[in-house]
Amino acid sequence: MLQQTLKNFFGYDQFREGQEAVISSIVSGHSSAAIFPTGSGKSLCYQVSALHLSDLTLVVSPLLALIQDQLAFLQEKNIPAAKIDSSMSVDEVRSTMAKVRNGEIKILMISVERLKNERFRRFIKEVPISLLVIDEAHCISEWGHNFRPDYLKLPQYQQELNIKQALLLTATATPAVINDMQSKFAIAPNDIV
């Protein structure tokens, strides 16, 4: 089933090391963390998972350029994905929110700061979300070298928005950061790849 999705949507014959373990963990209902080197396919872990989950996958990323690249990739693969960011007009944001509300969007990408917006939180609270994806997840730890205060609120937002599962992605995680990620998001040790 996962192999079929990989082939049909992404055109790959096989998963890279670690990807299938992470995706299997997510589609069986667990939270997970993928700590893979840069360029080794962390994004594919949420992209394949999203196609097997019933509701929205919400992706939090620290970089607008990264969001733009991933969005272009997903749209090229005909996967219904969208973003909400500061470069968009009010009408574009409204239009995207309507599509999300109607279930037309499978993957929504935002910056972590978007969650500070009360109107956005009220809106997203009413949308069923299967998975919260945190890109550059080492930022959720005070021990992460890229410490961003808004990242520290993500466990609280996950609870507030009633999102059952999280997928943490990073290339940079010391043992202290891994412990932090694991405890803040209740990830079982075998679900850290």
Side-chain angles (χ1 to χ4, degrees), residues 58 110 115 120-129 132 154-164:
L58 182 65
I110 60 168
L115 289 163
F120 178 78
R121 279 207 321 276
R122 268 200 314 271
F123 152 73
I124 205 70
K125 210 176 215 167
E126 294 172 11
V127 174
I129 302 171
L132 173 65
L154 285 169
Q156 178 190 322
Y157 289 136
Q158 182 187 7
Q159 280 188 316
E160 191 184 310
L161 299 172
N162 196 25
I163 307 170
K164 301 280 183 264

Side-chain angles (χ1 to χ4, degrees), residues 10 12 38-39 43-44 46-47 59 61-79 81-85 87 107 109-110 135-136:
F10 301 95
Y12 301 126
T38 302
S43 300
L44 202 74
Y46 80 76
Q47 293 164 348
V59 180
S61 174
L63 303 167
L64 293 182
L66 200 60
I67 290 175
Q68 204 48 57
D69 288 351
Q70 291 185 0
L71 188 59
F73 173 78
L74 290 165
Q75 289 172 340
E76 183 186 291
K77 305 288 179 197
N78 293 317
I79 295 168
K83 65 173 179 144
I84 292 179
D85 69 31
S87 73
I107 298 172
M109 297 181 201
I110 60 168
D135 206 0
E136 304 298 338

Side-chain angles (χ1 to χ4, degrees), residues 5-190:
T5 303
L6 184 70
K7 182 75 178 150
N8 294 349
F9 282 90
F10 301 95
Y12 301 126
D13 291 320
Q14 59 190 40
F15 287 104
R16 288 184 183 175
E17 189 182 345
Q19 288 175 326
E20 196 168 8
V22 172
I23 297 163
S24 296
S25 169
I26 294 296
V27 298
S28 23
H30 304 274
S31 288
S32 187
I35 303 153
F36 301 166
T38 302
S40 60
K42 289 183 291 294
S43 300
L44 202 74
C45 293
Y46 80 76
Q47 293 164 348
V48 172
S49 296
L51 297 170
H52 289 270
L53 299 171
S54 55
D55 298 314
L56 183 73
T57 291
L58 182 65
V59 180
V60 173
S61 174
L63 303 167
L64 293 182
L66 200 60
I67 290 175
Q68 204 48 57
D69 288 351
Q70 291 185 0
L71 188 59
F73 173 78
L74 290 165
Q75 289 172 340
E76 183 186 291
K77 305 288 179 197
N78 293 317
I79 295 168
K83 65 173 179 144
I84 292 179
D85 69 31
S86 55
S87 73
M88 297 164 69
S89 71
V90 172
D91 287 344
E92 288 172 320
V93 170
R94 272 200 201 111
S95 165
T96 300
M97 286 164 83
K99 287 178 184 168
V100 168
R101 196 177 285 114
N102 297 335
E104 295 168 47
I105 300 295
K106 202 72 185 133
I107 298 172
L108 179 65
M109 297 181 201
I110 60 168
S111 73
V112 67
E113 289 78 13
R114 177 66 44 183
L115 289 163
K116 284 197 294 198
N117 180 312
E118 191 118 351
R119 233 178 84 226
F120 178 78
R121 279 207 321 276
R122 268 200 314 271
F123 152 73
I124 205 70
K125 210 176 215 167
E126 294 172 11
V127 174
I129 302 171
S130 290
L131 180 65
L132 173 65
V133 179
I134 302 166
D135 206 0
E136 304 298 338
H138 57 273
C139 295
I140 66 117
S141 175
E142 292 177 64
W143 312 110
H145 69 276
N146 252 353
F147 179 60
R148 290 220 355 219
D150 289 312
Y151 264 76
L152 291 181
K153 296 180 187 139
L154 285 169
Q156 178 190 322
Y157 289 136
Q158 182 187 7
Q159 280 188 316
E160 191 184 310
L161 299 172
N162 196 25
I163 307 170
K164 301 280 183 264
Q165 287 176 264
L167 171 58
L168 280 52
L169 307 173
T170 185
T172 318
T174 63
V177 171
I178 292 170
N179 288 342
D180 225 3
M181 288 170 24
Q182 193 177 345
S183 68
K184 286 179 177 165
F185 290 89
I187 299 173
N190 354 335

